[in-house]
Amino acid sequence: MGRLRYTISRLLQAIPVVVGVITITFFLTDAIPGDPVSIMLGPSPSAQQADAIRAKFGLDQPLYVRYVNYLVDVVQLNLGTSIYYQVPVTQKIAERLPVTLYLLLSSFTFALVTAVPLGIVSAKRRNKPTDHVSRVVALLGVSTPSFWIGLMLIIVFSFWLDVFPSTSLILPWAPPASVDGAATQLGVITTSIHHLILPTITLGTLQMAAFTRIERSSMLEVLGEEYVKLARAYGVSEGKIVRKHAFRNAQLPLITLVGLQLTSALGGAVLTETVFSINGMGRLIITAIQNQDFPLVMGTTLVFGLVFVIGVIITDLSYAYVDPRVTFEGGE
């Protein structure tokens, strides 16, 4: 019951955050120079056409009226109609969101699978060549822009070696008829993984580097605890100490960082999707901004905010599964 109350409490606390995201995005979007009607109809539209478009999308109403109307529509799960695509915003988001979530999930999986072993090995072999190599890799990963990594991977593995595709991303549950060269669902999954490798490395490198550094420092701290020294004094092997005593206790800082890294991952997804021509949420919001598609900008930003808030709540809830000392009754 404590966990349920905590979850409900965090969800309620997220409401002001979401309203804040909507409010800031709404007024910033309205402040963008230019006119979406001119983009739709050209630089010299007729007055009748322009008035009809403005009336259709509510652009002829005062700013505060449009703001209140939008809040009411969001409560009713109505995000409006895209000015550029001329379809409901929810429809475009439903088409693009699975692609971005698939990319985010794969990048975080890649980051964790590589960072945790690197961090543990680096901590166990502190100040040895293995540790130095791991730290250099983490430093390069943190300091290298994701779009540059993507471009280099495309040049090497797509143009020079021709082993991986440089564009698009295929969902593993797509029907075989929609995928070239895939006769079965297994073929679709194989093709999907083939297309996923380069974008995953591009987006996951920054997360991998950050996770490696925090895993190393956290593991070093735990390995210096008194109970670990006592286990060594009793003759417990180093491998068993890491597996049975140190590993689980060293994961709380990493879990915290995973939740916080969602922000950089969402921003990195925009760049990664642009570099690899992936039709996800990142390219969708870029298109919306370029065409001053106010409803689409608002809808995509709202979804990004919700993904981050949900990710942080899941991170908090996962604490109790890693460390039984953590409770949700107001303390530890």
Short mmCIF file of all heavy atoms in Angstrom, two decimals, residues 13-65:
data_model
loop_
_atom_site.label_atom_id
_atom_site.label_comp_id
_atom_site.label_asym_id
_atom_site.label_seq_id
_atom_site.Cartn_x
_atom_site.Cartn_y
_atom_site.Cartn_z
N GLN A 13 1.87 14.86 -8.23
CA GLN A 13 2.90 15.89 -8.27
C GLN A 13 3.34 16.21 -9.70
O GLN A 13 3.85 17.30 -9.98
CB GLN A 13 4.11 15.44 -7.45
CG GLN A 13 3.88 15.36 -5.96
CD GLN A 13 5.04 14.74 -5.22
OE1 GLN A 13 6.13 14.59 -5.75
NE2 GLN A 13 4.81 14.36 -3.97
N ALA A 14 3.16 15.25 -10.59
CA ALA A 14 3.56 15.46 -11.99
C ALA A 14 2.61 16.39 -12.73
O ALA A 14 3.00 16.96 -13.76
CB ALA A 14 3.63 14.10 -12.71
N ILE A 15 1.38 16.55 -12.22
CA ILE A 15 0.40 17.40 -12.92
C ILE A 15 0.90 18.84 -13.05
O ILE A 15 0.86 19.42 -14.15
CB ILE A 15 -0.96 17.32 -12.21
CG1 ILE A 15 -1.54 15.91 -12.35
CG2 ILE A 15 -1.93 18.35 -12.80
CD1 ILE A 15 -2.85 15.70 -11.59
N PRO A 16 1.38 19.49 -11.97
CA PRO A 16 1.90 20.86 -12.14
C PRO A 16 3.08 20.92 -13.12
O PRO A 16 3.23 21.92 -13.84
CB PRO A 16 2.32 21.26 -10.73
CG PRO A 16 1.55 20.37 -9.82
CD PRO A 16 1.39 19.09 -10.55
N VAL A 17 3.90 19.88 -13.14
CA VAL A 17 5.04 19.85 -14.07
C VAL A 17 4.53 19.85 -15.51
O VAL A 17 5.02 20.61 -16.36
CB VAL A 17 5.93 18.62 -13.80
CG1 VAL A 17 7.05 18.54 -14.84
CG2 VAL A 17 6.50 18.67 -12.40
N VAL A 18 3.54 19.00 -15.78
CA VAL A 18 2.99 18.92 -17.13
C VAL A 18 2.32 20.24 -17.52
O VAL A 18 2.49 20.72 -18.65
CB VAL A 18 2.00 17.74 -17.23
CG1 VAL A 18 1.31 17.74 -18.59
CG2 VAL A 18 2.71 16.42 -17.00
N VAL A 19 1.57 20.82 -16.59
CA VAL A 19 0.94 22.12 -16.87
C VAL A 19 2.00 23.18 -17.14
O VAL A 19 1.84 24.03 -18.04
CB VAL A 19 0.03 22.55 -15.70
CG1 VAL A 19 -0.51 23.96 -15.91
CG2 VAL A 19 -1.13 21.58 -15.55
N GLY A 20 3.10 23.13 -16.39
CA GLY A 20 4.19 24.07 -16.63
C GLY A 20 4.81 23.90 -18.00
O GLY A 20 5.11 24.89 -18.69
N VAL A 21 5.00 22.63 -18.41
CA VAL A 21 5.55 22.36 -19.75
C VAL A 21 4.61 22.92 -20.82
O VAL A 21 5.05 23.56 -21.79
CB VAL A 21 5.75 20.84 -19.94
CG1 VAL A 21 6.07 20.52 -21.41
CG2 VAL A 21 6.87 20.35 -19.05
N ILE A 22 3.31 22.67 -20.65
CA ILE A 22 2.33 23.17 -21.62
C ILE A 22 2.36 24.70 -21.68
O ILE A 22 2.38 25.29 -22.77
CB ILE A 22 0.92 22.68 -21.25
CG1 ILE A 22 0.82 21.16 -21.41
CG2 ILE A 22 -0.13 23.36 -22.11
CD1 ILE A 22 -0.48 20.57 -20.90
N THR A 23 2.39 25.33 -20.51
CA THR A 23 2.32 26.80 -20.45
C THR A 23 3.55 27.43 -21.11
O THR A 23 3.43 28.33 -21.96
CB THR A 23 2.22 27.27 -19.00
OG1 THR A 23 1.05 26.68 -18.40
CG2 THR A 23 2.12 28.77 -18.92
N ILE A 24 4.73 26.97 -20.72
CA ILE A 24 5.97 27.55 -21.27
C ILE A 24 6.04 27.33 -22.78
O ILE A 24 6.35 28.25 -23.55
CB ILE A 24 7.19 26.95 -20.56
CG1 ILE A 24 7.21 27.37 -19.10
CG2 ILE A 24 8.48 27.38 -21.26
CD1 ILE A 24 8.28 26.68 -18.27
N THR A 25 5.74 26.09 -23.21
CA THR A 25 5.81 25.79 -24.63
C THR A 25 4.79 26.60 -25.43
O THR A 25 5.08 27.09 -26.53
CB THR A 25 5.57 24.29 -24.88
OG1 THR A 25 6.46 23.53 -24.06
CG2 THR A 25 5.81 23.93 -26.34
N PHE A 26 3.60 26.77 -24.86
CA PHE A 26 2.54 27.50 -25.57
C PHE A 26 2.97 28.94 -25.85
O PHE A 26 2.86 29.42 -26.99
CB PHE A 26 1.26 27.48 -24.74
CG PHE A 26 0.08 28.12 -25.42
CD1 PHE A 26 -0.76 27.38 -26.23
CD2 PHE A 26 -0.18 29.48 -25.26
CE1 PHE A 26 -1.85 27.96 -26.87
CE2 PHE A 26 -1.26 30.08 -25.89
CZ PHE A 26 -2.09 29.32 -26.70
N PHE A 27 3.46 29.63 -24.83
CA PHE A 27 3.79 31.05 -25.01
C PHE A 27 5.09 31.23 -25.80
O PHE A 27 5.22 32.21 -26.54
CB PHE A 27 3.87 31.74 -23.64
CG PHE A 27 2.52 31.92 -23.00
CD1 PHE A 27 2.11 31.10 -21.97
CD2 PHE A 27 1.65 32.89 -23.45
CE1 PHE A 27 0.86 31.26 -21.38
CE2 PHE A 27 0.40 33.07 -22.87
CZ PHE A 27 0.00 32.25 -21.83
N LEU A 28 6.04 30.29 -25.65
CA LEU A 28 7.25 30.38 -26.47
C LEU A 28 6.93 30.13 -27.94
O LEU A 28 7.48 30.80 -28.83
CB LEU A 28 8.29 29.37 -25.98
CG LEU A 28 9.03 29.71 -24.68
CD1 LEU A 28 9.99 28.59 -24.32
CD2 LEU A 28 9.77 31.03 -24.81
N THR A 29 6.05 29.17 -28.19
CA THR A 29 5.68 28.88 -29.57
C THR A 29 4.96 30.06 -30.21
O THR A 29 5.21 30.41 -31.37
CB THR A 29 4.76 27.64 -29.61
OG1 THR A 29 5.43 26.53 -29.02
CG2 THR A 29 4.42 27.27 -31.05
N ASP A 30 4.10 30.71 -29.44
CA ASP A 30 3.38 31.87 -29.97
C ASP A 30 4.33 33.03 -30.25
O ASP A 30 4.05 33.86 -31.14
CB ASP A 30 2.31 32.30 -28.97
CG ASP A 30 1.45 33.43 -29.49
OD1 ASP A 30 0.57 33.16 -30.33
OD2 ASP A 30 1.69 34.60 -29.08
N ALA A 31 5.46 33.06 -29.51
CA ALA A 31 6.40 34.18 -29.68
C ALA A 31 7.34 33.98 -30.88
O ALA A 31 8.10 34.89 -31.21
CB ALA A 31 7.22 34.37 -28.41
N ILE A 32 7.30 32.81 -31.52
CA ILE A 32 8.17 32.57 -32.67
C ILE A 32 7.80 33.53 -33.81
O ILE A 32 6.62 33.64 -34.17
CB ILE A 32 8.04 31.11 -33.16
CG1 ILE A 32 8.52 30.14 -32.08
CG2 ILE A 32 8.84 30.89 -34.45
CD1 ILE A 32 8.31 28.68 -32.45
N PRO A 33 8.78 34.23 -34.38
CA PRO A 33 8.46 35.14 -35.49
C PRO A 33 7.92 34.37 -36.70
O PRO A 33 8.29 33.22 -36.94
CB PRO A 33 9.81 35.79 -35.82
CG PRO A 33 10.66 35.55 -34.61
CD PRO A 33 10.20 34.28 -34.01
N GLY A 34 7.05 35.02 -37.44
CA GLY A 34 6.51 34.40 -38.64
C GLY A 34 5.03 34.06 -38.49
O GLY A 34 4.43 34.23 -37.43
N ASP A 35 4.48 33.54 -39.57
CA ASP A 35 3.05 33.23 -39.63
C ASP A 35 2.86 31.87 -40.26
O ASP A 35 3.25 31.65 -41.41
CB ASP A 35 2.32 34.30 -40.45
CG ASP A 35 0.81 34.08 -40.47
OD1 ASP A 35 0.34 33.21 -39.71
OD2 ASP A 35 0.13 34.76 -41.26
N PRO A 36 2.29 30.91 -39.53
CA PRO A 36 2.09 29.58 -40.12
C PRO A 36 1.16 29.60 -41.33
O PRO A 36 1.28 28.76 -42.21
CB PRO A 36 1.49 28.77 -38.96
CG PRO A 36 0.91 29.79 -38.03
CD PRO A 36 1.81 30.98 -38.14
N VAL A 37 0.25 30.55 -41.37
CA VAL A 37 -0.66 30.64 -42.51
C VAL A 37 0.12 30.98 -43.78
O VAL A 37 -0.15 30.45 -44.86
CB VAL A 37 -1.75 31.69 -42.24
CG1 VAL A 37 -2.65 31.85 -43.47
CG2 VAL A 37 -2.60 31.28 -41.04
N SER A 38 1.10 31.86 -43.66
CA SER A 38 1.93 32.21 -44.82
C SER A 38 2.75 31.02 -45.29
O SER A 38 2.98 30.83 -46.49
CB SER A 38 2.85 33.38 -44.47
OG SER A 38 2.10 34.53 -44.12
N ILE A 39 3.19 30.20 -44.35
CA ILE A 39 3.94 29.00 -44.73
C ILE A 39 3.05 28.02 -45.48
O ILE A 39 3.46 27.39 -46.46
CB ILE A 39 4.54 28.34 -43.48
CG1 ILE A 39 5.57 29.27 -42.83
CG2 ILE A 39 5.19 27.00 -43.82
CD1 ILE A 39 6.15 28.75 -41.54
N MET A 40 1.79 27.90 -45.05
CA MET A 40 0.87 26.98 -45.70
C MET A 40 0.44 27.47 -47.08
O MET A 40 0.43 26.70 -48.05
CB MET A 40 -0.39 26.79 -44.84
CG MET A 40 -0.20 25.98 -43.58
SD MET A 40 -1.76 25.81 -42.71
CE MET A 40 -2.74 24.96 -43.93
N LEU A 41 0.11 28.75 -47.18
CA LEU A 41 -0.50 29.27 -48.40
C LEU A 41 0.47 30.02 -49.30
O LEU A 41 0.09 30.43 -50.40
CB LEU A 41 -1.67 30.21 -48.04
CG LEU A 41 -2.79 29.59 -47.19
CD1 LEU A 41 -3.84 30.63 -46.87
CD2 LEU A 41 -3.41 28.40 -47.91
N GLY A 42 1.72 30.20 -48.83
CA GLY A 42 2.67 30.97 -49.63
C GLY A 42 2.79 32.39 -49.11
O GLY A 42 2.03 32.82 -48.23
N PRO A 43 3.73 33.14 -49.64
CA PRO A 43 3.99 34.49 -49.12
C PRO A 43 2.87 35.49 -49.39
O PRO A 43 2.79 36.51 -48.72
CB PRO A 43 5.28 34.90 -49.84
CG PRO A 43 5.28 34.08 -51.10
CD PRO A 43 4.62 32.78 -50.74
N SER A 44 2.02 35.24 -50.39
CA SER A 44 0.98 36.23 -50.74
C SER A 44 -0.39 35.57 -50.83
O SER A 44 -1.02 35.50 -51.89
CB SER A 44 1.33 36.89 -52.08
OG SER A 44 2.58 37.53 -52.02
N PRO A 45 -0.92 35.05 -49.71
CA PRO A 45 -2.25 34.44 -49.75
C PRO A 45 -3.34 35.51 -49.82
O PRO A 45 -3.15 36.65 -49.41
CB PRO A 45 -2.32 33.68 -48.43
CG PRO A 45 -1.44 34.47 -47.51
CD PRO A 45 -0.34 35.03 -48.37
N SER A 46 -4.47 35.10 -50.32
CA SER A 46 -5.61 36.04 -50.34
C SER A 46 -6.14 36.20 -48.92
O SER A 46 -5.98 35.32 -48.07
CB SER A 46 -6.72 35.49 -51.24
OG SER A 46 -7.27 34.31 -50.69
N ALA A 47 -6.77 37.33 -48.67
CA ALA A 47 -7.28 37.62 -47.34
C ALA A 47 -8.34 36.60 -46.91
O ALA A 47 -8.38 36.19 -45.75
CB ALA A 47 -7.85 39.02 -47.30
N GLN A 48 -9.17 36.17 -47.85
CA GLN A 48 -10.22 35.20 -47.52
C GLN A 48 -9.62 33.85 -47.12
O GLN A 48 -10.06 33.23 -46.16
CB GLN A 48 -11.17 35.04 -48.71
CG GLN A 48 -12.03 36.27 -48.99
CD GLN A 48 -12.98 36.06 -50.15
OE1 GLN A 48 -12.78 35.14 -50.97
NE2 GLN A 48 -14.01 36.89 -50.24
N GLN A 49 -8.63 33.39 -47.90
CA GLN A 49 -7.98 32.12 -47.57
C GLN A 49 -7.31 32.19 -46.21
O GLN A 49 -7.42 31.26 -45.39
CB GLN A 49 -6.96 31.77 -48.65
CG GLN A 49 -7.54 31.35 -49.97
CD GLN A 49 -6.46 31.06 -50.99
OE1 GLN A 49 -5.47 31.78 -51.10
NE2 GLN A 49 -6.64 29.98 -51.75
N ALA A 50 -6.57 33.27 -45.96
CA ALA A 50 -5.86 33.41 -44.69
C ALA A 50 -6.85 33.45 -43.52
O ALA A 50 -6.63 32.80 -42.49
CB ALA A 50 -5.01 34.67 -44.71
N ASP A 51 -7.94 34.18 -43.67
CA ASP A 51 -8.93 34.27 -42.59
C ASP A 51 -9.59 32.92 -42.33
O ASP A 51 -9.86 32.55 -41.18
CB ASP A 51 -10.00 35.31 -42.94
CG ASP A 51 -9.45 36.73 -42.93
OD1 ASP A 51 -8.37 36.93 -42.34
OD2 ASP A 51 -10.09 37.62 -43.53
N ALA A 52 -9.82 32.16 -43.41
CA ALA A 52 -10.44 30.84 -43.25
C ALA A 52 -9.52 29.89 -42.49
O ALA A 52 -9.97 29.13 -41.61
CB ALA A 52 -10.79 30.27 -44.62
N ILE A 53 -8.24 29.92 -42.81
CA ILE A 53 -7.27 29.04 -42.12
C ILE A 53 -7.15 29.44 -40.66
O ILE A 53 -7.14 28.59 -39.75
CB ILE A 53 -5.90 29.10 -42.82
CG1 ILE A 53 -5.99 28.47 -44.22
CG2 ILE A 53 -4.85 28.38 -41.98
CD1 ILE A 53 -6.32 27.00 -44.21
N ARG A 54 -7.06 30.74 -40.40
CA ARG A 54 -6.94 31.20 -39.01
C ARG A 54 -8.18 30.82 -38.20
O ARG A 54 -8.07 30.43 -37.04
CB ARG A 54 -6.73 32.72 -38.98
CG ARG A 54 -5.34 33.15 -39.46
CD ARG A 54 -5.08 34.62 -39.15
NE ARG A 54 -3.72 34.97 -39.52
CZ ARG A 54 -3.36 35.42 -40.70
NH1 ARG A 54 -4.28 35.59 -41.65
NH2 ARG A 54 -2.09 35.73 -40.96
N ALA A 55 -9.35 30.94 -38.81
CA ALA A 55 -10.57 30.56 -38.10
C ALA A 55 -10.63 29.06 -37.86
O ALA A 55 -11.09 28.60 -36.80
CB ALA A 55 -11.79 31.02 -38.91
N LYS A 56 -10.16 28.28 -38.81
CA LYS A 56 -10.19 26.82 -38.70
C LYS A 56 -9.34 26.34 -37.52
O LYS A 56 -9.73 25.42 -36.79
CB LYS A 56 -9.70 26.18 -39.99
CG LYS A 56 -9.65 24.67 -39.96
CD LYS A 56 -9.15 24.09 -41.28
CE LYS A 56 -9.06 22.57 -41.22
NZ LYS A 56 -8.56 22.01 -42.51
N PHE A 57 -8.16 26.95 -37.34
CA PHE A 57 -7.25 26.50 -36.28
C PHE A 57 -7.29 27.41 -35.05
O PHE A 57 -6.47 27.25 -34.15
CB PHE A 57 -5.82 26.43 -36.82
CG PHE A 57 -5.62 25.37 -37.86
CD1 PHE A 57 -5.62 25.69 -39.21
CD2 PHE A 57 -5.45 24.04 -37.50
CE1 PHE A 57 -5.44 24.71 -40.18
CE2 PHE A 57 -5.26 23.06 -38.46
CZ PHE A 57 -5.27 23.38 -39.80
N GLY A 58 -8.24 28.34 -35.01
CA GLY A 58 -8.40 29.18 -33.83
C GLY A 58 -7.35 30.25 -33.68
O GLY A 58 -7.20 30.83 -32.59
N LEU A 59 -6.59 30.54 -34.73
CA LEU A 59 -5.53 31.53 -34.65
C LEU A 59 -6.05 32.96 -34.63
O LEU A 59 -5.28 33.89 -34.41
CB LEU A 59 -4.55 31.34 -35.82
CG LEU A 59 -3.85 29.97 -35.89
CD1 LEU A 59 -2.99 29.90 -37.14
CD2 LEU A 59 -3.01 29.74 -34.64
N ASP A 60 -7.34 33.13 -34.89
CA ASP A 60 -7.93 34.48 -34.89
C ASP A 60 -8.41 34.88 -33.50
O ASP A 60 -8.88 36.00 -33.30
CB ASP A 60 -9.09 34.55 -35.88
CG ASP A 60 -10.18 33.51 -35.58
OD1 ASP A 60 -9.86 32.50 -34.89
OD2 ASP A 60 -11.32 33.68 -36.03
N GLN A 61 -8.29 33.98 -32.52
CA GLN A 61 -8.75 34.27 -31.17
C GLN A 61 -7.64 34.89 -30.33
O GLN A 61 -6.44 34.72 -30.64
CB GLN A 61 -9.25 32.98 -30.50
CG GLN A 61 -10.43 32.34 -31.19
CD GLN A 61 -10.81 31.02 -30.55
OE1 GLN A 61 -10.03 30.42 -29.84
NE2 GLN A 61 -12.04 30.58 -30.82
N PRO A 62 -7.97 35.61 -29.26
CA PRO A 62 -6.94 36.16 -28.37
C PRO A 62 -6.08 35.05 -27.76
O PRO A 62 -6.51 33.90 -27.63
CB PRO A 62 -7.77 36.88 -27.29
CG PRO A 62 -9.10 37.14 -27.91
CD PRO A 62 -9.33 36.01 -28.87
N LEU A 63 -4.87 35.42 -27.36
CA LEU A 63 -3.91 34.45 -26.86
C LEU A 63 -4.43 33.71 -25.63
O LEU A 63 -4.31 32.48 -25.54
CB LEU A 63 -2.58 35.14 -26.55
CG LEU A 63 -1.43 34.25 -26.05
CD1 LEU A 63 -1.08 33.21 -27.10
CD2 LEU A 63 -0.22 35.09 -25.69
N TYR A 64 -5.01 34.45 -24.68
CA TYR A 64 -5.47 33.79 -23.45
C TYR A 64 -6.63 32.82 -23.72
O TYR A 64 -6.75 31.80 -23.05
CB TYR A 64 -5.87 34.84 -22.41
CG TYR A 64 -7.14 35.60 -22.71
CD1 TYR A 64 -8.38 35.16 -22.25
CD2 TYR A 64 -7.11 36.76 -23.48
CE1 TYR A 64 -9.55 35.85 -22.53
CE2 TYR A 64 -8.28 37.46 -23.76
CZ TYR A 64 -9.48 37.00 -23.29
OH TYR A 64 -10.63 37.69 -23.58
N VAL A 65 -7.46 33.13 -24.71
CA VAL A 65 -8.56 32.24 -25.07
C VAL A 65 -8.01 30.94 -25.67
O VAL A 65 -8.47 29.84 -25.33
CB VAL A 65 -9.53 32.93 -26.06
CG1 VAL A 65 -10.60 31.95 -26.54
CG2 VAL A 65 -10.18 34.14 -25.40
#
